[in-house]
Amino acid sequence: LYQLLESYEKENSQIRYLIQPGLMKLYLYDKEHGTDFIHTMTEFLKHPGQPSMIAQNLHIHKNTLLYRMGKVKQITGCEFLEGEEYMNYNLSMRIMKYLHMI
């Protein structure tokens, strides 16, 4: 994946425009409000459908996770009900890591 991104970047320096708009909103929200919903989102994408494991990895209570995910859904405008949504957000996260945004 990173070789593909590197090749794309050589041809077109606007690689950040490949980032899913909802995830970019979340990133900018974190920057503006001093929150860390991106980290919550990262764990959510690593362990979909496993709220107990996500909460444990984040060292938070499960109810806190549910609150955070409610905020993430509100900010991104995504309900994360389809596999394609997970794929788009995962790819966008990888692009953000490649660009050293997160």
Side-chain angles (χ1 to χ4, degrees), residues 21-68:
L23 190 59
M24 186 57 81
K25 282 184 193 175
L26 189 64
Y27 173 78
L28 295 173
Y29 183 94
D30 277 352
K31 292 289 182 197
E32 184 178 330
H33 295 91
T35 54
D36 195 16
F37 291 127
I38 286 284
H39 186 63
T40 301
M41 185 70 187
T42 301
E43 285 299 318
F44 177 78
L45 291 171
K46 282 183 192 174
H47 308 287
Q50 300 179 38
S52 296
M53 180 179 282
I54 298 166
Q56 182 181 351
N57 289 349
L58 293 171
H59 307 288
I60 59 174
H61 191 273
K62 197 172 170 181
N63 289 341
T64 303
L65 173 65
L66 295 175
Y67 168 79
R68 287 185 186 179

